[in-house]
Amino acid sequence: MYADYFGLTKKPFSLVPDPNFLYLSEKHKKAISILRYGLVNQAGFTVITGEVGSGKTTIIRSILDEYKELCEVGLITHTHNAFGDLLTWVLSAFKIESNAANKAERYEQFVDFVNQKLQAKKRVLLIVDEAQNMDIQTLEELRLLSNINVDQDFSLQLVLVGQPELLDKLNQPELRQFSQRISIEYHLKPLNFEETEHYIKYRLKRAGGKQAIFQQSAIAALYYYSNGIPRLINNIADLALVFAFGLDKKQINWKIIMDVIKERNTGGIKRFEGKIVAENMVERAKEGEKLRRKLLDLTGVDIAKTL
């Protein structure tokens, strides 16, 4: 709708993952390096965590192609509390047809699959996304599944990807043995203000943008309310482009960002609160507060009190 108006070839802030728009901050590059290290050095368990929308899944998918020759990759994405039998999901992830009548037979079938790949000099890599949704019992079954590995041969590697709640579960006493088997772990933090600015400009450029559409004040307000979460940045920025198009404005300032935030809050969905509550977000809270005061000095408006 607004692409032609702004001279863009496509939507720059789509919520649908697009490899052509992959922006790697230093944090994301580090997460990829650690993940690669774990895969190359045959880590038994690798755990990657981060806030909702921080880019965890994008990172996982961005490197899968690199290891297709080295590993047989299976991906489980639809985890939930009523997860059901783990082995059924595991076999499905590797597209293994099964007529097994019970869990023991399914386990033997998977062991045979892993051994076949080992003989073909390929490791088996199982990735579980949104792993925080798995209950304690299922996570323990996952640990027991790693017993397939014998001696120094890690024929089966497991990568768990999830929100911070996953760490809370793994730190529970019932999963002590599980946590002891974790070789590599990394927590992906949100973008800071400078990274947010680069992120916005990068995606606009990838979409064919030739001019600065978002003013500095707009980026500051956008960061304040997104807390540096890429998915929220996309959501706010996309709506801001729609609002600017409707107002026949070629540039987006802080007022348009505030209109977006007000509209979302009026609609009852309070996705953008501009508040930091978790202890690990204190640093971003300070940065957001600094930007709020800077905007107050420049515009005379306190964006924290305009909703």
Side-chain angles (χ1 to χ4, degrees):
M1 181 173 69
Y2 56 69
D4 290 340
Y5 178 78
F6 288 107
L8 304 172
T9 56
K10 61 193 319 186
K11 290 179 63 175
F13 301 105
S14 173
L15 295 180
V16 179
D18 186 342
N20 292 321
F21 284 84
L22 179 61
Y23 171 79
L24 296 177
S25 69
E26 291 302 315
K27 300 179 182 72
H28 290 79
K29 290 177 182 177
K30 186 175 181 180
I32 288 176
S33 296
I34 289 175
L35 187 55
R36 283 176 177 150
Y37 176 81
L39 294 176
V40 171
N41 289 276
Q42 301 187 21
F45 277 97
T46 297
V47 175
I48 304 292
T49 56
E51 296 293 334
V52 177
S54 59
K56 304 181 298 297
T57 302
T58 303
I59 284 175
I60 294 297
R61 294 183 183 276
S62 69
I63 70 168
L64 286 183
D65 288 342
E66 297 180 28
Y67 294 92
K68 284 185 177 179
E69 297 299 320
L70 182 66
C71 302
E72 189 74 27
V73 180
L75 177 63
I76 297 176
T77 57
H78 302 293
T79 58
H80 47 77
N81 289 331
F83 191 75
D85 178 54
L86 174 65
L87 282 166
T88 300
W89 284 84
V90 171
L91 294 179
S92 177
F94 290 101
K95 297 180 174 56
I96 303 172
E97 295 185 6
S98 176
N99 293 317
N102 53 55
K103 187 178 295 187
E105 290 182 7
R106 285 190 287 274
Y107 178 78
E108 289 301 322
Q109 189 172 5
F110 184 59
V111 170
D112 290 342
F113 172 78
V114 172
N115 288 334
Q116 288 172 13
K117 296 303 175 182
L118 181 61
Q119 291 174 11
K121 300 186 183 303
K122 291 188 74 171
R123 280 178 274 138
V124 175
L125 172 62
L126 175 62
I127 301 173
V128 182
D129 201 1
E130 300 296 344
Q132 78 281 347
N133 293 329
M134 302 174 79
D135 57 29
I136 298 296
Q137 181 179 345
T138 306
L139 285 168
E140 177 60 11
E141 287 183 25
L142 196 62
R143 180 189 71 82
L144 294 173
L145 195 62
S146 70
N147 289 336
I148 291 175
N149 295 319
V150 294
D151 300 325
Q152 299 300 314
D153 292 324
F154 276 86
S155 51
L156 172 65
Q157 291 181 266
L158 299 104
V159 176
L160 272 65
V161 184
Q163 297 169 27
E165 293 87 344
L166 175 61
L167 296 178
D168 295 334
K169 286 188 175 181
L170 294 177
N171 283 323
Q172 293 190 30
E174 301 97 308
L175 293 175
R176 183 174 64 253
Q177 293 186 65
F178 191 118
S179 61
Q180 290 173 352
R181 294 195 184 186
I182 298 172
S183 305
I184 305 291
E185 61 178 296
Y186 183 75
H187 182 74
L188 182 61
K189 295 181 180 179
L191 305 177
N192 59 30
F193 173 70
E194 184 179 0
E195 291 167 336
T196 298
E197 184 176 20
H198 290 164
Y199 176 87
I200 291 171
K201 291 179 177 179
Y202 174 83
R203 293 186 72 106
L204 285 170
K205 184 177 180 181
R206 295 294 293 175
K210 304 296 183 183
Q211 58 182 343
I213 298 173
F214 286 80
Q215 295 180 0
Q216 191 78 2
S217 65
I219 296 174
L222 198 157
Y223 173 78
Y224 182 80
Y225 280 96
S226 69
N227 292 329
I229 303 292
R231 189 180 299 166
L232 293 184
I233 294 172
N234 284 3
N235 202 314
I236 299 173
D238 183 62
L239 287 173
L241 287 168
V242 174
F243 278 39
F245 171 73
L247 295 169
D248 196 25
K249 293 184 179 294
K250 290 288 187 179
Q251 284 200 320
I252 295 170
N253 59 17
W254 66 271
K255 292 181 180 179
I256 292 179
I257 299 297
M258 295 309 301
D259 286 343
V260 170
I261 303 301
K262 288 178 182 177
E263 181 68 23
R264 296 304 304 185
N265 284 346
T266 302
I269 303 176
K270 296 187 178 181
R271 225 177 285 174
F272 322 120
E273 303 214 355
K275 297 178 181 178
I276 315 293
V277 294
E279 290 183 5
N280 63 355
M281 296 182 181
V282 171
E283 185 177 331
R284 285 191 295 123
K286 291 180 180 178
E287 189 172 17
E289 179 63 15
K290 188 185 300 182
L291 289 169
R292 183 188 69 81
R293 292 182 179 181
K294 184 177 180 179
L295 272 176
L296 181 60
D297 292 338
L298 290 172
T299 66
V301 176
D302 188 345
I303 62 173
K305 298 180 179 179
T306 56
L307 296 182

